[in-house]
Amino acid sequence: MQLHWSPRSPFVRKVNIILEECGMTDTVERIRSVAVFAAPPNPEILRDNPLGKIPVLITDDGQKLFDSRVICEYLIARAGRDDLLPTDPAARIKHLRWQALGDGLTDILLLWRTERARGAHADPVVEAAFETKTRAALATLDAESADLSATPFGLGHISVLCALGQLDFRYAGCGWRDGLPRLAAWHATIADRPSVASTVVVDDGGGPAGAADEVPAFTYGVSP
């Protein structure tokens, strides 16, 4: 199999965690691919994904799978790891809901950073909306931290972890751990899990500037 990937992508990280959990890391050839939202699509990616986004998985039989949700379900099924995405309807819906929340938060964080990059042309109404949604999503996760802890590790947890990782990577200094102590405590219990620790998002210099923003978009202790 081949994977269009970047070490800077939170959605690629989801796939990498699943590969680690399923013992399938060595079955994938990684193709370093740069995908930038506010730029012309990368033709190398576009050939395999008409949406021009990563990750993209090319299977052994030539299927081209996107996005991370589809790829993760494919890998989980291929590995027979029902523990990561249960077949029981109630347990499955719980994980899919957390996946929707984690992925949705990650999308907001990516789009918010793109809007901020417009500088003086950034729309303050749009930025305020991103902040409100970010705070609401994080408050929900903080309130559900006990349930996250009590539920066996799976795809929902991975999606939430990747959203929190994006906070650490691009919104360093926002103080989410101080403002959300229950969520921070849960995160600390699994941060050292091998699949989590080995896939932390990093800036390899393979695209536009990737250091975390020097001035946080928001901070805890400040009203939205």
Side-chain angles (χ1 to χ4, degrees):
M1 295 186 289
Q2 294 180 313
L3 179 70
H4 283 285
W5 83 296
S6 165
R8 299 144 55 100
S9 167
F11 290 115
V12 167
R13 187 187 186 194
K14 273 181 64 185
V15 174
N16 282 336
I17 292 175
I18 290 293
L19 287 169
E20 292 279 354
E21 291 287 333
C22 293
M24 299 173 68
T25 301
D26 293 338
T27 68
V28 175
E29 175 192 351
R30 287 172 168 78
I31 304 170
R32 177 65 173 94
S33 304
V34 176
V36 181
F37 177 77
N42 182 335
E44 299 296 324
I45 300 172
L46 209 57
R47 276 200 290 268
D48 295 322
N49 178 2
L51 301 176
K53 299 167 67 174
I54 57 174
V56 187
L57 181 73
I58 304 167
T59 67
D60 291 335
D61 61 1
Q63 293 185 79
K64 298 174 180 180
L65 303 181
F66 46 85
D67 56 8
S68 65
R69 291 166 291 189
V70 175
I71 296 171
C72 287
E73 288 210 36
Y74 171 82
L75 294 172
I76 289 168
R78 176 169 168 157
R81 290 291 303 274
D82 290 349
D83 56 313
L84 295 173
L85 185 59
T87 56
D88 173 74
R92 184 182 184 87
I93 286 296
K94 178 180 286 189
H95 277 282
L96 292 179
R97 176 182 171 277
W98 278 331
Q99 177 176 233
L101 185 54
D103 285 1
L105 175 56
T106 299
D107 276 331
I108 288 169
L109 294 173
L110 291 168
L111 290 170
W112 190 1
R113 186 170 183 269
T114 298
E115 185 65 24
R116 293 187 77 215
R118 297 176 65 220
H121 299 289
D123 187 327
V125 174
V126 171
E127 289 192 283
F130 284 147
E131 179 173 352
T132 298
K133 293 174 184 179
T134 295
R135 289 180 182 272
L138 290 170
T140 296
L141 290 170
D142 191 58
E144 296 180 9
S145 295
D147 198 13
L148 284 164
S149 296
T151 302
F153 185 81
L155 183 58
H157 301 84
I158 293 167
S159 301
V160 172
L161 278 166
C162 290
L164 297 177
Q166 185 67 9
L167 274 180
D168 287 336
F169 182 51
R170 296 299 196 193
Y171 296 76
C174 73
W176 71 267
R177 287 176 176 80
D178 293 333
L180 305 160
R182 293 173 294 184
L183 185 59
W186 167 75
H187 183 269
T189 66
I190 56 176
D192 292 332
R193 189 181 180 98
S195 65
V196 175
S198 66
T199 57
V200 172
V201 170
V202 296
D203 179 13
D204 67 345
D213 294 333
E214 293 182 4
V215 179
F218 74 111
T219 56
Y220 273 87
V222 179
S223 298

